[in-house]
């Protein structure tokens, strides 16, 4: 410990940015705090050079390292599984460059999503990825390949990362990618890093693609008395050519939780399922898209359609963005971010309802119907810890079996982290796991970066 303290202080030179022992719980867990690890040290890095020197020391002295950012992860990707050194990059939070000619921005990993989105909009530009927590950092979004509300039209984080500066476990600084829109020069190592959950390196700079800001955007709320009507409507929308920006669904039970949490009334209409859709583009495209959505809603017997005013839209989307926190406020829960083929979303939701009745475990659903990403909260209720552990394990296993049976995957955008490792290894071809771990061995021969997270060995 003394040797570690001496070396870290030599690198950082600022005792206010170094903590040895007694690291606060928020740094050894994730946003939910259900799973906690332990760290020998917490270091707040402020430059690529500091990260490089810290990792070189970690490699030399065999310190396990956990990268940390805004701490909004939900599956334990930031939980130290050994007596780790945490390298926190949240203070590396500068927007370094705006290139309006090439439509790119270069940022440090601690820049928050809200900060980048606002910066782009101030310059008439648009950064489309929109995960539910806008206080997440861009570095964290890259680590998990975050998706969000607008993925149905615009894609996920991976589709916008053009270049990365990454520090390898050895301390070497690697520049990957470029501002070029096409690249056929070997393997795409940028995409290897995106979604790797901090197991291959620590990202210290990110160049993202920007788009021109849409001239107009409009949201509407659709209420359906029966869930199957909502699924039929959403399927019709996706085949209609409207190309909506967002296609969200909110089950009645979780809508009530969101209302209680935010004080926002979602709808005066009692419905089993609500659809929240957005159309963007030119004024004419938005008007035509909304008209077509309203026609489809009538065809599929929507109980109500509300075209949202600017303030109502902000309130309703705030409610939608709060649903994970709203469920946690009601009960300890296990958040799941399953993805199934879009044609199977309705079937998956129905089978989850059947499973809920069979097991007696409350399960509430919401999410991105347009790309098949279902957020499911499995709730503890009044169970004892022992009963919750048993019921949760049974419910999760059954849910993942259902998703896999329908051609789905255990994670769409949260990552694997610590929490999903047993299911990752259960459902992933062992040959694929061997290849992933072989890639890690090239980037991180000693296995010091985020051991025990995702596909990485313990």
């Amino acid at each position: 410990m003394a040797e570690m303290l001496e070396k870290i202080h030599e690198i950082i030179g600022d005792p206010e940015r170094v903590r040895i022992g007694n690291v606060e719980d928020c740094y050894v867990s994730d946003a939910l705090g259900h799973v906690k690890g332990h760290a020998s040290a917490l270091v707040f890095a402020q430059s690529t050079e500091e990260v490089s020197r810290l990792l070189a020391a970690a490699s030399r002295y065999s310190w396990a390292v956990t990268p940390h950012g805004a701490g909004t992860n939900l599956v334990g990707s930031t939980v130290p599984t050994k007596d780790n050194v945490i390298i926190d990059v949240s203070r590396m939070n500068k927007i370094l460059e705006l290139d309006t000619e090439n439509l790119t921005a270069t940022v440090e990993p601690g820049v928050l999503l809200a900060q980048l989105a606002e910066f782009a909009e101030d310059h008439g530009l648009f950064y489309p990825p929109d995960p539910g927590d806008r206080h997440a950092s861009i570095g964290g979004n890259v680590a998990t390949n975050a998706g969000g509300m607008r993925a149905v039209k615009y894609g996920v984080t991976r589709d916008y990362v053009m270049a990365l500066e990454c520090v390898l476990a050895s301390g070497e600084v690697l520049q990957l990618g470029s501002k070029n829109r096409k690249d056929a020069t070997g393997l795409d190592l940028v995409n290897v890093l995106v979604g790797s959950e901090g197991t291959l390196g620590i990202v210290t700079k990110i160049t993202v693609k920007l788009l021109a800001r849409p001239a107009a955007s409009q949201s509407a709320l659709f209420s359906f008395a029966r869930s199957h009507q909502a699924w039929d409507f959403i399927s019709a929308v996706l085949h209609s050519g409207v190309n909506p920006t967002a296609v969200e669904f909110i089950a009645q039970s979780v809508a009530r939780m969101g209302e209680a949490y935010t004080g926002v009334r979602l709808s005066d209409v009692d419905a089993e399922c609500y659809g929240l859709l957005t159309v963007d583009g030119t004024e004419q495209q938005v008007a035509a898209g909304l008209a077509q959505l309203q026609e489809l809603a009538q065809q599929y017997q929507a109980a109500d359609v509300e075209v949202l005013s600017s303030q109502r839209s902000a309130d309703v989307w705030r409610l939608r963005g709060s649903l994970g926190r709203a469920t946690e406020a009601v009960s300890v829960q296990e958040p799941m971010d399953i993805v199934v083929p879009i044609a199977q979303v309705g079937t998956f939701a129905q089978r989850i309802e059947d499973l809920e009745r069979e097991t007696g475990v409350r399960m509430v659903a919401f999410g991105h119907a347009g790309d098949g990403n279902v957020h499911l909260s499995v709730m503890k209720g009044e169970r004892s810890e022992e009963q919750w552990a048993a019921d949760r394990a049974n419910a999760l296993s059954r849910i993942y079996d259902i998703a896999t049976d329908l051609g789905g995957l255990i994670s769409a955008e949260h990552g694997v982290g610590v929490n999903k490792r047993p299911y990752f290894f259960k459902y992933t071809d062992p040959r694929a796991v061997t290849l992933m771990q072989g890639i890690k061995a090239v980037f991180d021969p000693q296995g010091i970066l985020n051991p025990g997270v995702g596909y990485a060995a313990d």
Side-chain angles (χ1 to χ4, degrees):
M1 183 70 74
E3 182 181 44
M4 177 184 291
L5 176 62
E6 180 181 353
K7 189 62 182 177
I8 290 175
H9 276 299
E10 177 186 320
I11 293 168
I12 299 300
D14 177 1
E16 295 298 319
R17 292 194 283 126
V18 178
R19 299 176 194 173
I20 303 295
N22 299 315
V23 176
E24 297 98 318
D25 284 351
C26 63
Y27 291 103
V28 295
S29 188
D30 58 14
L32 295 176
H34 298 165
V35 180
K36 293 182 175 65
H38 185 267
S40 294
L42 167 65
V43 186
F44 295 92
Q46 290 185 345
S47 69
T48 299
E49 180 186 2
E50 287 184 347
V51 174
S52 174
R53 292 183 66 193
L54 286 166
L55 284 181
S59 179
R60 180 177 179 183
Y61 297 106
S62 299
W63 304 337
V65 172
T66 297
H68 196 277
T72 59
N73 182 259
L74 296 173
V75 295
S77 298
T78 53
V79 172
T81 60
K82 298 186 177 181
D83 204 17
N84 294 17
V85 174
I86 298 172
I87 300 179
D88 186 293
V89 295
S90 62
R91 300 187 188 187
M92 296 176 65
N93 57 8
K94 298 181 182 64
I95 296 175
L96 301 172
E97 180 195 58
L98 173 66
D99 185 340
T100 55
E101 293 185 348
N102 287 305
L103 295 176
T104 66
T106 300
V107 305
E108 291 182 320
V111 168
L112 301 184
L113 176 64
Q115 181 185 355
L116 176 58
E118 182 179 352
F119 176 81
E121 289 176 9
D122 287 345
H123 291 84
L125 299 170
F126 181 42
Y127 180 67
D130 187 28
D133 195 334
R134 294 174 68 82
H135 293 95
S137 65
I138 301 302
N141 285 180
V142 170
T144 58
N145 188 30
M149 320 293 186
R150 295 193 282 245
V152 62
K153 178 174 182 178
Y154 289 108
V156 296
T157 299
R158 174 173 280 121
D159 300 307
Y160 294 87
V161 178
M162 300 184 70
L164 296 173
E165 178 181 85
C166 176
V167 183
L168 301 179
S170 62
E172 297 172 271
V173 179
L174 187 62
Q175 308 291 338
L176 297 171
S178 69
K179 293 182 181 180
N180 295 291
R181 295 299 175 106
K182 291 183 176 181
D183 182 353
T185 57
L187 298 181
D188 188 344
L189 295 179
V190 169
N191 268 332
V192 173
L193 266 293
V194 176
S196 62
E197 297 186 81
T199 61
L200 300 180
I202 297 182
V203 171
T204 50
K205 289 180 187 174
I206 305 150
T207 298
V208 297
K209 176 174 65 176
L210 302 176
L211 304 179
R213 186 173 62 193
S217 178
Q218 180 72 61
S219 296
L221 182 68
F222 300 82
S223 304
F224 292 91
R226 296 290 177 263
S227 295
H228 71 84
Q229 296 169 325
W231 305 126
D232 291 344
F233 165 72
I234 288 169
S235 178
V237 169
L238 296 175
H239 287 85
S240 69
V242 172
N243 197 18
T245 316
V247 182
E248 298 292 299
F249 78 94
I250 306 171
Q252 182 187 65
S253 55
V254 75
R256 300 291 88 86
M257 295 178 195
E259 289 175 337
Y261 185 79
T262 61
V264 173
R265 181 66 174 168
L266 180 63
S267 174
D268 293 327
V269 177
D270 191 28
E272 282 189 358
C273 190
Y274 302 92
L276 179 57
L277 281 73
T278 301
V279 180
D280 68 6
T282 65
E283 296 280 358
Q284 294 84 352
Q285 288 170 330
V286 170
L290 280 175
Q292 193 169 352
L293 292 180
Q294 289 172 300
E295 289 177 11
L296 288 170
Q298 184 176 11
Q299 181 180 339
Y300 288 94
Q301 301 176 308
D304 184 62
V305 177
E306 180 188 2
V307 177
L308 303 175
S309 67
S310 177
Q311 185 57 55
R312 269 287 287 161
S313 182
D315 287 342
V316 169
W317 277 108
R318 178 163 59 87
L319 181 149
R320 165 60 189 89
S322 78
L323 292 179
R325 296 186 297 277
T327 54
E328 183 73 13
V330 171
S331 165
V332 169
Q333 50 118 358
E334 184 75 25
M336 306 176 75
D337 66 316
I338 285 166
V339 62
V340 296
I342 55 174
Q344 300 290 355
V345 174
T347 301
F348 177 76
Q350 182 58 58
R351 290 181 65 176
I352 294 303
E353 290 178 12
D354 295 342
L355 181 63
E356 181 180 29
R357 285 190 290 269
E358 178 188 339
T359 61
V361 177
R362 192 175 188 188
M363 305 172 190
V364 296
F366 57 96
H368 318 310
D371 57 18
N373 182 186
V374 179
H375 290 288
L376 192 66
S377 295
V378 180
M379 307 185 72
K380 177 185 178 185
E382 300 302 318
R383 291 170 173 80
S384 66
E385 290 298 331
E386 183 179 5
Q387 189 62 51
W388 170 232
D391 288 350
R392 178 183 58 197
N394 177 61
L396 265 58
S397 182
R398 298 279 297 279
I399 291 165
Y400 287 132
D401 281 345
I402 291 170
T404 304
D405 183 54
L406 295 174
L409 300 169
I410 67 168
S411 179
E413 55 187 9
H414 293 169
V416 175
V418 171
N419 300 1
K420 296 184 181 180
R421 275 170 62 84
Y423 307 103
F424 170 81
F425 289 114
K426 177 180 178 180
Y427 296 109
T428 305
D429 186 329
R431 295 169 295 183
V433 175
T434 298
L435 288 171
M436 293 180 198
Q437 293 179 342
I439 291 169
K440 178 171 174 59
V442 173
F443 278 81
D444 177 17
Q446 294 175 272
I448 63 172
L449 286 169
N450 246 4
V453 169
Y455 66 92
D458 291 329

